[in-house]
Amino acid sequence: MAMNRISLHSKSTQFAALLVVFIVLCLSIDPTENSILWRLPALLAGVPAMVNNSVEFVMFEWMPIEIYNVEIEEYEETALVKEITRSFSGALLFCIQFIREIFLGGVKTIVAFTSWDYIRENPWAQWPALPWTVVAGCAVVLGYALNGRWLALLVAFSTIYVAVFGQWEPAMETLSFVLIAAPLSVLLGLGLGIVAFKSEKTEAILMPLLNVAQTMPHFSYLVPVTVFFGVGDHAGAIATIIFATPPMIRLSLLGLKAISPEVMEAGMMNGCNKVQLLFRVLIPTARRNILVGVNQVIMQCLAMAVIASFIGAKGLGFNLLLALNQLRIGQALELGICIVLIAVVLDKLSLSWANKQVDYFADLSFVERNKYALMMLVVLLAGVVLAYLGSFIFKDGINYLYAIPHNKGITTENFWQSGVDWMVDNWYSGLQGFNTALIVHILIPMKNAYLSMPVSATFLLVMGVGFIIGGVRSALTVGGFLLFIALTEWWDRALITAYMTTFAVIVSVIIGTVVGSLCARSGLATKIVLLVCDTLQTFPSFIYLIPVIMLFGVTDTSVLIAVIIYATIPATRYTVEGLRNVPESLQDAGSMSGVNHLQRLINIELPLAFPHMMLGINQTVVFALFMVIIGAMIGTDDLGQYILKSLSDKNGIGNGLMLGLCVAFIGLAVDHLINRWAKDRKTALGLA
């Protein structure tokens, strides 16, 4: 313990000395553009153009081939890569439309095997939609089969809410999107996880790529996808697959690595070859981690539902974006609740599936083995009968027992809109004083302070912190991330992004620590706050921009408050989990020593929970970065604004990727420092 204190004291002295040198450099270096100490030359400024030219060559000129065009009935020349990507897009779009037409009906699947002329000549050739009561009923049966009546009630409430509020059609469009993107992400992630498990070289290559992929802003995926695959549901699905696959790879690899050598030896001793060992021993043993990965994939797919609407994906996300553009707050809130309910239902179903225990030795009859499938068959027949009866009951109107058209159900839009109008009328003027004071006295000075940092002083500070925490290797790692940003033309924009992220993280950590510390004292409060965190995390991030725009206008204050709300979630969650995981024996020992609750919290619980809380701060930084980029939609001058501009630029793929890497490297630098520090502290406290 004495050595730990000496080490901490020594590092504190080093941090203080480093800070003094940093301040001296900031004050002494002249802000002249020609000075290399002030700003590095933008040596990477030409890279985006090179990327654009390379992509254009590969897509439209490289390896030309002759293909037969059915529409013009002639052969034409096209590039091989373009033909491959467009063929893949077409196959993916067909799968999405096939699932969508099972839920909603249509003719495109039939057209794919016939023609539009056939449809016009045969009006009966329609794929009938499943009644919403059938889909809802089957989902309820599935919930009951996986986890009993409470999950069944949750599924029933969610599906009825979506249908009654007239959002069944866009909800099924979103669900069809997820039902294609999620399985492909799972298969791709599991396959790469297995390859990484079998090959250390593959793992070494994949890990940095996964780190970059998971810190890259959502929008950065959209630009290259539109270039290679076009726009539409298929493009949104491909962007979603790219975004959702990394957690599946990580969890598959984690589960396979956790298998004890004895299990593998037992499999080989029983005569398993490599394929049998993989599919009959390793994957079943790692089933829990793999299914948790499936759960994460589903949540990531729904998180991308709104983002994917920027490149033409239909569904709740697209309608939510329209509602936000029209400032229809009530409708946006209803759509957001629909997305949350779908996310919660799929989350609970997938977790229940992961935890479901199968009794392989039960001697059951055919009916007992297939009772839930038979129940679904009964639901199908009953739903069809109800839909048929509804055609007579609602003869002159909408058949509510078959399909409730979009926006033809009940709505609470006017109620929520009136509430927002009341808040604006009564709170807007009063909040302008706070808004002005925050901008003038805190945000502008902080922004100017960041922009006045010389590049040499910034390198000294960041690499110095890296050296103190993790030695030369950490210093070079974070220095490399910083060097990439410094050599682009967006150094000042990166500093603005860093300023906004820093302010949001500081406030979020303070709020999260206080709220988490208070709620961790009670089991009931812990359950409530974790439920609130789950709900807020599944809300589409755009929702948080709505109230702040109304109350604070288009300012940095609006963006930062939205960022703080979103980034407080992991800070609170990790504080609660860290404090709840402190061993009870240590808490009892502190109480027996005569300390009160506050002393026990400050001197025992927080120090032991702090390494875990630091990982929460790491997630808070990532959440804040993502939300700062999304906040560019309402007007900022950071990296996010340029990423959004690249979406509307036909040659924006180079800028989009470079800007995304700049944001990712900010997050990765912080991630490296925090993870290294947390690991060292856990080792020092004996918690590793």
Side-chain angles (χ1 to χ4, degrees), residues 166-333:
Q167 301 300 335
W168 187 260
E169 182 181 336
M172 292 304 101
E173 289 175 338
T174 297
L175 188 59
S176 64
F177 175 87
V178 173
L179 290 178
I180 294 300
L184 289 175
S185 299
V186 168
L187 291 174
L188 182 60
L190 180 60
L192 290 173
I194 292 170
V195 173
F197 172 70
K198 291 183 172 292
S199 169
E200 292 184 358
K201 289 183 178 179
T202 303
E203 182 184 355
I205 294 170
L206 276 179
M207 284 303 109
L209 295 177
L210 294 179
N211 291 335
V212 173
Q214 291 189 278
T215 50
M216 185 88 79
H218 304 64
F219 290 111
S220 297
Y221 294 103
L222 305 185
V223 185
V225 166
T226 55
V227 173
F228 283 100
F229 300 98
V231 296
D233 289 301
H234 55 282
I238 292 168
T240 302
I241 291 167
I242 297 170
F243 180 71
T245 299
M248 186 66 201
I249 298 174
R250 287 188 184 278
L251 285 162
S252 299
L253 182 60
L254 180 66
L256 292 169
K257 280 190 167 184
I259 298 173
S260 63
E262 291 81 3
V263 173
M264 291 187 281
E265 290 172 3
M268 289 186 287
M269 289 175 64
N270 280 281
C272 291
N273 57 35
K274 291 183 179 181
V275 176
Q276 291 172 328
L277 184 67
L278 175 64
F279 288 101
R280 296 186 180 182
V281 178
L282 298 181
I283 292 178
T285 306
R287 174 177 179 269
R288 182 174 179 80
N289 283 85
I290 291 172
L291 291 179
V292 171
V294 173
N295 170 263
Q296 289 297 303
V297 165
I298 293 171
M299 301 307 290
Q300 298 283 51
C301 287
L302 283 166
M304 277 292 286
V306 180
I307 307 293
S309 64
F310 276 87
I311 54 175
K314 297 178 183 177
L316 292 168
F318 182 78
N319 293 336
L320 174 61
L321 201 61
L322 289 178
L324 289 175
N325 288 334
Q326 298 168 5
L327 292 179
R328 298 181 63 177
I329 311 303
Q331 187 180 79
L333 188 60

Side-chain angles (χ1 to χ4, degrees), residues 572-610:
T572 305
R573 180 190 296 279
Y574 278 78
T575 299
V576 171
E577 291 176 350
L579 291 172
R580 296 289 291 184
N581 289 330
V582 174
E584 290 186 11
S585 57
L586 294 177
Q587 299 181 32
D588 294 338
S591 299
M592 292 173 64
S593 300
V595 299
N596 57 36
H597 289 297
L598 182 61
Q599 291 171 326
R600 188 177 73 183
L601 175 67
I602 295 174
N603 297 320
I604 298 175
E605 295 176 3
L606 283 176
L608 289 172
F610 201 63

Side-chain angles (χ1 to χ4, degrees), residues 463-536:
M463 294 183 69
V465 171
F467 179 78
I468 294 170
I469 291 176
V472 175
R473 184 173 181 178
S474 291
L476 292 176
T477 299
V478 295
F481 291 139
L482 205 63
L483 181 63
F484 178 89
I485 302 171
L487 292 177
T488 67
E489 55 189 311
W490 301 298
W491 173 257
D492 286 351
R493 304 305 165 198
L495 290 177
I496 295 173
T497 302
Y499 124 75
M500 298 183 75
T501 304
T502 303
F503 180 86
V505 167
I506 291 172
V507 177
S508 297
V509 168
I510 293 172
I511 296 173
T513 302
V514 172
V515 173
S517 299
L518 293 174
C519 293
R521 320 307 302 171
S522 164
L524 178 62
T526 296
K527 291 181 179 179
I528 293 173
V529 75
L530 291 179
L531 177 62
V532 171
C533 287
D534 288 338
T535 304
L536 292 177

Side-chain angles (χ1 to χ4, degrees), residues 509-573:
V509 168
I510 293 172
I511 296 173
T513 302
V514 172
V515 173
S517 299
L518 293 174
C519 293
R521 320 307 302 171
S522 164
L524 178 62
T526 296
K527 291 181 179 179
I528 293 173
V529 75
L530 291 179
L531 177 62
V532 171
C533 287
D534 288 338
T535 304
L536 292 177
Q537 190 170 343
T538 49
F539 256 113
S541 47
F542 290 92
I543 290 288
Y544 299 107
L545 298 175
I546 300 171
V548 292
I549 295 173
M550 293 294 182
L551 297 176
F552 297 99
V554 181
T555 61
D556 281 2
T557 304
S558 298
V559 176
L560 286 171
I561 291 177
V563 174
I564 289 166
I565 296 171
Y566 191 60
T568 300
I569 298 169
T572 305
R573 180 190 296 279

